[in-house]
Structure formats: C-alpha cells, structure tokens
C-alpha cells in the first residue's frame, strides 16, 4: 500500500466540509439571537440554556449509540480473529519451517528423487534441525487435490477424497498423531507396493467398526492403506474435515516442485541462512521459494478476517476516544455554566459527594439513553457481519456485554474530572461568578 493522491484529497475535502458544516451550526443560533432579550436576560436565560442542553444531550446520546454499535462490531471481529488463532490445526506448527524447491535441468525421475534425498540429508544434519521431509502441496496455502473416492474398487458416489504426496516421516515432522499403522518411510519406492495413509474422518465414515489397514484406494492403480492419522488442516485454518489420503511421493510417476518442511529447535527463521547454504551447496541456481514458518502460512489463510478485525478494532477505539472527548467537553461546559447552581446547593448543605454524583449521574443517564438507542441498531447491523464471522453468532452475548461495559466506563471516566472540579468548588466563589 502507498499513499494515493485521490484518497488524500477526498479525505481532506470531507474534513474541511465537516469543519465548516459543524462550525456554522452554532453560528446560526448566535447571529439570530434577539439582542434585546440577550441584554435583558444575560446569563440567566434559563429557557435558552435548557434548549441548548437538550440539543447537546441528543447529540451525545446519538454518538454513544453509534459508538456502541462500532464497539460491538469490533468485538465480534476481534473474537472471530481469536477463534482463527486458537483453531486446532491438528499439527504442531511451532518450530516448523516450510519453503518451496523447483529442481532445474533434471530429465529423469531418479535424478529428481536423488536430489530431494540429498537435500533432506543435508538439512537434517544442520545444527538446530530435528527432522525434515517433503510435501507436494504446502498446508495452509489454499491448494488441494480433490478426486472421487474409490474404496476397494467401489466408487463412493457423492464423496470426494483430498490427497497430498508426502515424503518419509511426514507425520513425525509435522507433529500429526498416528492412530494406527505406520508413517510413510524411505522404503516406499516405485518398486514396492503403493501405499497410502488416511485420516480419521475417512475411517469413521467408511470403517466405523472395522480395521481399515489392508484395504485399498483407487481403481486402476491401487494404494494399500498402511496407516491412520488424526485429522489436520490442509487447505486453510477454517476448513471442515473431509476424507483425506497421503501418498508416498517417491511412488508417483512424475515428481516436480515440492515443499520442504523442516522441524527445528527454537525459532526456525534463525536457521534460514543455513538452509539457503545447504541448497546452494547442491545447486547454486535453485532459490528457496516463499520461505516462512508453517504457523505464518496458516495465518495467511485468514488474512482478510485479520484485516477486518484490525480495522474494526481501530474504528471502535476511535469512536470511544471521540465520545469520551465530546462527553468530557460537554460536561465541562455545563458544569461551568452551573457554577451558581452548584454554589447554592453547597451553601444549602449539599455534600461534595452529592455534587460529584450529580455530574456523574448525568453522564450515566446519557450512556443509558445512548445504549437504549444503540442496542436495536446494533442488533440490526450485526446481521450483515454474519459472513465475516467464524464460529461466532452475530448476537454473541460476550461482545455485547463487553461493548456495554466499555461505554459505561467511558461515560464514568469522562465525567470524573468535571465532577471532581464541581465537588471541590468554593461555594462563595461560585456565587460570585454570576
């Protein structure tokens, strides 16, 4: 993103228009005030004060209603982001690095396979590296292979099977628990029986009471099931579990670009330069493609919700600041205008805590009116956020309660300084101000 001249000029124009429009509003009442009436009434024109006070209360209550709506929307979006971040990916992403590799100038499959085996051996002996493997489609990148499911030669109509080609020790490297059978191993080659590892969703759907090991996938080409693993995310962080199969990449007819998964001790980004050198030692013309942590890769799958959450949080915070500033200014002005009234009350025996509560109560009443108007508005508007929420209702009670608490806190905080100033007022000095 870079600054755009049209956007900046538009923003400047809107700001200038708002300043002029809201500057003319009080000017209109000032130039149309009756001179004789003003000279006679002075500062004791109570009816005019009441009209101005009522207008100010309506404006502040409207601002609080809009602030409440924005805070509720911000709460929903931020809680949605939290749901994404706390999503169980089915694997241990901490300490996991992934980068792409595209072999160059290699004509035969055995040559490509030898390149990957040499690369994995070099990576595994690096200090700080625990293990390494390969995978065709990078988890969390949005790419998937989907085909009709054929089980034991029978096509399962209406059921799709997702698949991925993986290297030896893939589930060990990724931290995906193995429930039955074994992992893909180095002994699974083009000259041995084709094997597959399936996920628990496939087993629960098609083998609820029997052992899946030994059954086979495919029609013309058969892959024997040798293992069952826990469900894990493949396409994105928010995808629903579906039948999944993992094939040994060394048994495929063609091997091209692959993704390298490296398990490290500590921060994997600290070993990035060492990994680049390991690749360069084998072939200096092969770059590391889009190196990142596996956690960051899954975060890219919900980049848009993250952006919405940040924007929602920013505008919610901005609304809260504007309401707090406006409420403080309004209460300060009204407190100064009521100096004589406060002085009379204190002279007649009103305690300082009573004066303090009088100012705070006015602010809380404004908050009450604002929330009473803002809640129906929020209920109406949050329905349009439904498509942007994840594992969350647009009427989430926690978001509503937190927003109400923030509005109440703002109203109390904005009124404390004017209230304390009024409570510490000298009655004699206050009576002289008239």
């Amino acid at each position: 993103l870079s600054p755009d001249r049209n956007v900046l000029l538009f923003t400047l124009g809107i700001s200038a228009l708002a300043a002029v429009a809201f500057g003319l509003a009080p000017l209109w009442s000032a130039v149309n005030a009756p001179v004789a009436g003003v000279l006679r009434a002075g500062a004791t024109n109570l009816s005019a004060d009441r009209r101005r006070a009522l207008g100010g209360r309506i404006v502040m209550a409207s601002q609080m209603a809009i602030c409440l709506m924005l805070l509720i929307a911000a709460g929903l979006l931020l809680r949605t982001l939290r749901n994404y971040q706390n999503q169980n990916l089915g694997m241990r992403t901490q300490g996991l690095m992934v980068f792409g590799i595209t072999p160059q100038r290699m004509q035969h499959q055995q040559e490509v396979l030898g390149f990957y085996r040499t690369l994995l051996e070099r990576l595994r002996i690096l200090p700080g590296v625990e293990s390494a493997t390969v995978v065709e489609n990078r988890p969390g990148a949005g790419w998937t292979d989907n085909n009709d499911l054929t089980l034991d030669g029978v096509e399962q109509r209406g059921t799709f099977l997702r698949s991925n080609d993986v290297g030896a020790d893939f589930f060990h490297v990724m931290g995906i628990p193995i429930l039955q059978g074994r992992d893909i191993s180095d002994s699974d080659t083009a000259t041995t029986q084709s094997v597959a590892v399936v996920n628990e969703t496939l087993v629960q759907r098609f083998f609820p009471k029997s052992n899946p090991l030994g059954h086979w996938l495919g029609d013309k080409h058969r892959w024997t099931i040798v293992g069952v693993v826990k469900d894990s995310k493949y396409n994105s962080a928010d995808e629903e579990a579906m039948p999944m199969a993992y094939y040994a990449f060394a048994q495929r007819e063609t091997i091209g670009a692959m993704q390298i998964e490296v398990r490290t001790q500590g921060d994997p980004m600290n070993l990035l330069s060492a990994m680049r050198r390991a690749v360069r030692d084998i072939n200096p013309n092969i770059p590391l493609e889009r190196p990142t942590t596996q956690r960051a890769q899954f975060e890219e799958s919900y980049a848009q919700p993250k952006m919405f959450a940040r924007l929602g949080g920013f505008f919610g915070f901005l609304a809260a600041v504007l309401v707090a500033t406006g409420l403080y200014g309004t209460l300060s002005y009204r407190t100064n205008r009521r100096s004589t009234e406060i002085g009379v009350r204190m002279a007649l025996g009103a305690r300082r805590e009573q004066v303090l509560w009088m100012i705070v109560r006015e602010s809380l009443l404004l908050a009450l009116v604002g929330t009473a108007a803002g809640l129906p508005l929020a209920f109406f508007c949050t329905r349009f956020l439904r498509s942007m929420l994840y594992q969350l209702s647009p009427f989430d009670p926690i978001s509503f309660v937190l927003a109400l608490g923030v509005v109440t806190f703002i109203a109390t905080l904005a009124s404390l300084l004017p209230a304390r100033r009024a409570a510490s007022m000298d009655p004699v000095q206050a009576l002289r101000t008239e």
Side-chain angles (χ1 to χ4, degrees), residues 46-78:
L46 298 180
S47 62
D49 279 354
R50 290 193 183 97
R51 287 195 299 270
R52 285 194 293 268
L54 179 60
R57 290 192 184 100
I58 293 175
V59 171
M60 287 309 305
S62 301
Q63 289 184 4
M64 284 193 166
I66 296 174
C67 176
L68 178 66
M69 180 189 68
L70 291 174
L71 287 173
I72 290 174
L76 290 171
L77 294 173
L78 289 171

Side-chain angles (χ1 to χ4, degrees), residues 352-386:
R352 297 190 182 276
E353 55 268 22
Q354 291 176 319
V355 175
L356 185 73
W357 170 244
M358 180 181 67
I359 305 299
V360 174
R361 181 181 59 188
E362 180 179 357
S363 178
L364 293 178
L365 286 175
L366 284 175
L368 181 61
V369 174
T371 54
L375 280 176
L377 183 64
F379 274 109
F380 175 77
C381 293
T382 52
R383 295 182 302 170
F384 299 104
L385 293 176
R386 188 184 300 273

